[in-house]
């Protein structure tokens, strides 16, 4: 029998198209592997085996009737913060336990229209706040490659599912690194699209000015395939932009076989290679630089001078937005309610019981930075610094096509370590938050492993709507899969 679980998305699409196997066979094999791994890896919050099999039967029928769609009968795993009609959507929070999505998020509607099947909802940090998937109300996920370690977060379930061959591909969301960092820790590809490239409608909002949904896949080609489907303007999201959607799988078409990166200038931002970068991470990224040069690219030293302000700026902007976005969870409209005669008391008790410690910490921090008397000193100032950070990127992109940098300062650490040290966790986001603050696009790619076998990633960062260049370079730099 074919090893369905090890397939890439592209292979699955081709196999289904050629009639080499059916969607039912594919879905059945995946569901079996997913269920068997729940007690250890715990990549999923919920698995909809029955629903997925029904959808697979329907897809097989449609194909037999001559229909062909880009993802007909192909299962995709979805982070638990995206609404899929009829399925639970908890954002890994107690406060949303029992909530069933009444509609499809736009990205889901687009995938569904392309024929995709939704077989499970992946674990995440509660409300996407975190970088370890340990703040999930439903318990942590384990890294399937670096066993005993965190998978990264907040899209740790999606990364573990793809990296552990428990999904062909997944969607994640990235507010400050939540696609790229777990992709890097689990040895897979993750794309944070340009702000406005992909609709946010129907996604449980984290920080609305920073959030983007993107693919988490085994290969660059798979990521391009998913981006083709989910990108584009959505009338339901006023921040989505009306830019044409190119065929991303054509990004590397016609590139020189020997020197696919000929003519490309890759900027090396000095601040991303500073103190605190793990030596093995540095070594893998240096190798990626050398490969880029061998493939024809030119390296150029550049500077992102406000990098050091990235973490404080991000944690002011994002907490301000999360405190506003989470105000809607009050026990009246969604999920958990702790009943009480007095409505104010009911709000308080519901939120006290329904939110975890990290969520409360951020709501408090966000409320503080927005409060009168502190607004100018913190929130307003952070917005100004955010502009400076955006300008850093603009100035860098005036000198180069893309930036090449590490994704995280260190490889995945053991589960439980730093769990009660929020500052330590926040600091580990230093190499990813700048992209979200600036709004530009980035891709994380596997770059090898440490001596212990922990995956290490490298990220390419592109200007706004520079995804085609990003995919072209990523495809060239991609390492052969083990
Ligand atoms: N790790 C970051 C945080 O904790 C990023 C989260 C995200 O991208 N959703 O906020």
């Amino acid at each position: 029998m074919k090893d369905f679980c090890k397939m890439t998305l592209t292979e699955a699409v081709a196999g289904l198209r050629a009639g080499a196997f059916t969607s039912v066979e594919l879905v059945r094999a995946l569901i079996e592997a997913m269920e068997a791994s729940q007690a250890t890896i715990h990549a999923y919050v919920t698995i909809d085996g029955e629903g997925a099999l029904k959808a697979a039967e329907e897809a097989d029928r449609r194909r037999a009737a001559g229909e062909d769609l880009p993802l007909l009968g192909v299962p995709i795993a979805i982070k638990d913060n995206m609404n899929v009609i009829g399925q639970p959507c908890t954002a890994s929070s107690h406060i949303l336990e029992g909530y069933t999505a009444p509609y499809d998020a736009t990205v889901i509607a687009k995938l569904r229209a392309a024929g995709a099947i939704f077989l499970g909802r992946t674990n995440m940090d509660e409300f996407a706040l975190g970088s370890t998937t340990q703040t999930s109300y439903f318990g942590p996920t384990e890294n399937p490659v670096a066993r005993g370690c965190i998978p990264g977060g907040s899209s740790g379930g999606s990364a573990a599912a793809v990296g552990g061959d428990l999904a062909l591909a997944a969607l994640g969301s990235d507010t400050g690194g939540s696609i790229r960092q777990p992709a890097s820790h689990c040895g897979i590809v993750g794309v944070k699209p340009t702000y406005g490239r992909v609709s946010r409608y129907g996604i449980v909002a984290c920080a609305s000015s920073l959030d983007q949904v993107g693919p988490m896949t085994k290969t660059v080609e798979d990521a391009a395939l998913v981006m083709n489907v989910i990108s584009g303007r959505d009338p339901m999201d006023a921040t989505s932009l009306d830019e044409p959607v190119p065929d991303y799988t054509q990004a590397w078409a016609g590139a020189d076989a020997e020197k696919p990166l000929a003519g490309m200038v890759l900027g090396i931002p000095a601040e991303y290679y500073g103190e605190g970068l793990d030596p093995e991470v540095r070594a893998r990224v240096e190798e990626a630089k050398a490969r880029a040069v061998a493939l024809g690219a030119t390296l150029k030293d550049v500077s992102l001078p406000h990098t050091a302000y990235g973490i404080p700026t991000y944690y002011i902007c994002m907490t301000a937005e999360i405190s506003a976005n989470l105000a809607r969870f009050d026990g009246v409209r969604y999920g958990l309610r702790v009943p009480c005669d007095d409505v104010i008391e009911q709000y308080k008790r519901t939120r006290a019981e329904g939110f975890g410690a990290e969520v409360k910490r951020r709501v408090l921090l966000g409320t503080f930075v927005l409060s009168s008397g502190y607004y100018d000193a913190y929130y307003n100032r952070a917005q100004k610094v955010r502009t400076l950070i955006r300008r850093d990127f603009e100035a860098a992109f005036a000198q180069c096509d893309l930036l090449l940098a590490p994704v995280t300062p260190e490889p995945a650490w053991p589960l439980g370590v730093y769990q009660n040290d929020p500052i330590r966790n926040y600091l580990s986001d230093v190499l990813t938050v700048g992209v979200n603050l600036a709004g530009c696009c980035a891709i994380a790619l596997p770059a090898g492993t440490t001596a212990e076998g922990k995956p290490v990633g490298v990220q390419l960062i592109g200007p706004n709507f520079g995804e085609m260049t990003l995919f072209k370079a990523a495809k060239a730099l991609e390492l052969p899969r083990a």
Side-chain angles (χ1 to χ4, degrees):
M1 197 183 96
K2 286 183 190 53
D3 200 345
F4 288 115
C5 299
K6 290 213 174 337
M7 272 182 196
T8 66
L9 193 64
T10 306
E11 286 164 357
V13 169
L16 286 168
R17 222 168 239 158
F21 46 84
T22 64
S23 174
V24 167
E25 288 176 292
L26 180 61
V27 167
R28 204 170 269 145
L30 273 164
I31 299 276
E32 208 174 285
M34 287 157 65
E35 277 169 351
S37 68
Q38 278 299 82
T40 50
I41 305 296
H42 189 230
Y44 291 89
V45 173
T46 25
I47 297 175
D48 182 14
E50 211 177 296
L53 275 174
K54 244 197 239 145
E57 282 167 13
E58 171 68 16
D60 286 336
R61 258 197 302 277
R62 287 168 74 182
R63 191 176 293 281
E67 251 188 89
D68 188 23
L69 294 166
L71 297 174
L72 185 58
V74 180
I76 299 206
I78 304 296
K79 187 175 179 178
D80 201 30
N81 62 350
M82 308 184 192
N83 281 275
V84 175
I85 192 167
Q87 293 190 358
C89 179
T90 69
S92 286
S93 180
H94 184 33
I95 213 162
L96 275 173
E97 217 179 355
Y99 171 76
T100 301
Y103 67 103
D104 275 341
T106 296
V107 286
I108 300 300
K110 287 186 173 213
L111 286 171
R112 198 188 290 284
I117 290 173
F118 309 107
L119 76 189
R121 310 196 47 85
T122 59
N123 200 14
M124 55 185 282
D125 282 297
E126 186 177 358
F127 284 109
L129 305 176
S131 42
T132 67
T133 313
Q134 293 177 119
T135 69
S136 166
Y137 175 70
F138 304 105
T141 293
E142 184 183 338
N143 191 313
V145 185
R147 296 303 299 266
C149 292
I150 55 152
S154 63
S155 313
S158 288
V162 176
D165 291 324
L166 306 168
L168 303 177
L171 287 189
S173 62
D174 193 313
T175 305
S178 279
I179 288 176
R180 289 161 289 152
Q181 185 257 24
S184 172
H185 284 329
C186 292
I188 64 163
V189 174
V191 178
K192 185 270 174 203
T194 304
Y195 187 79
R197 174 75 297 186
V198 176
S199 167
R200 293 180 296 108
Y201 177 70
I203 311 304
V204 179
C206 181
S208 310
S209 78
L210 300 158
D211 299 344
Q212 273 293 288
V213 171
M216 302 178 75
T217 56
K218 298 180 186 181
T219 67
V220 172
E221 185 171 12
D222 286 0
L225 190 62
V226 175
M227 278 298 288
N228 278 356
V229 176
I230 63 172
S231 300
R233 162 92 182 134
D234 174 15
M236 300 302 281
D237 174 4
T239 63
S240 70
L241 291 170
D242 202 4
E243 284 284 322
V245 180
D247 180 353
Y248 292 114
T249 63
Q250 292 301 306
W252 49 88
D256 186 276
E258 295 281 299
K259 302 271 179 202
L261 301 184
M264 198 179 279
V265 181
L266 298 180
I268 307 299
E271 295 79 1
Y272 281 45
Y273 291 79
E275 222 182 294
L277 187 60
D278 177 273
E280 287 190 282
V281 171
R282 188 185 296 275
R284 296 297 85 79
V285 176
E286 289 300 330
E287 287 162 13
K289 277 161 72 174
R291 277 206 312 283
V293 171
L295 294 167
T298 310
L299 304 183
K300 185 170 178 40
D301 288 329
V302 296
S303 173
L304 298 169
H306 296 92
T307 299
Y309 302 104
I311 291 292
T313 305
Y314 170 80
Y315 277 95
I316 290 172
C317 297
M318 92 85 63
T319 56
E321 293 187 32
I322 198 87
S323 74
N325 275 328
L326 294 193
R328 76 193 64 174
F329 299 106
D330 54 9
V332 176
R333 284 165 293 188
Y334 313 92
L336 180 78
R337 174 181 305 162
V338 181
C340 185
D341 290 342
D342 178 66
V343 70
I344 301 292
E345 198 53 34
Q346 180 173 297
Y347 293 160
K348 286 185 186 166
R349 288 192 198 172
T350 300
R351 288 168 69 84
E353 196 173 302
F355 287 145
E358 182 60 27
V359 175
K360 287 175 186 159
R361 183 178 297 121
R362 299 215 195 183
V363 168
L364 287 172
L365 203 55
T367 307
F368 172 76
V369 300
L370 288 174
S371 56
S372 85
Y374 295 102
Y375 182 96
D376 281 332
Y378 294 101
Y379 183 72
N380 220 357
R381 183 155 302 199
Q383 289 298 341
K384 289 178 183 166
V385 181
R386 183 174 179 177
T387 301
L388 297 177
I389 290 171
R390 182 168 51 74
R391 287 191 192 145
D392 280 358
F393 281 91
E394 283 167 6
F397 290 127
Q399 304 170 62
C400 61
D401 298 297
L402 301 173
L403 302 171
L404 187 152
V407 184
T408 66
E410 59 193 328
W413 56 81
L415 282 159
V417 173
Y418 310 142
Q419 198 162 359
N420 300 316
D421 188 349
I423 301 289
R424 183 69 180 65
N425 279 296
Y426 298 171
L427 289 174
S428 73
D429 298 331
V430 61
L431 304 177
T432 47
V433 295
V435 164
N436 302 75
L437 289 167
C440 53
C441 58
I443 187 168
L445 297 175
T449 62
T450 64
E452 257 184 289
K454 293 182 182 178
V456 173
V458 58
Q459 73 179 319
L460 294 166
I461 302 172
N464 291 355
F465 294 94
E467 278 87 351
M468 278 301 255
T469 319
L470 212 57
F471 277 123
K472 182 179 177 187
K475 179 74 179 167
L477 282 176
E478 188 169 30
L479 295 171
R481 276 182 7 104

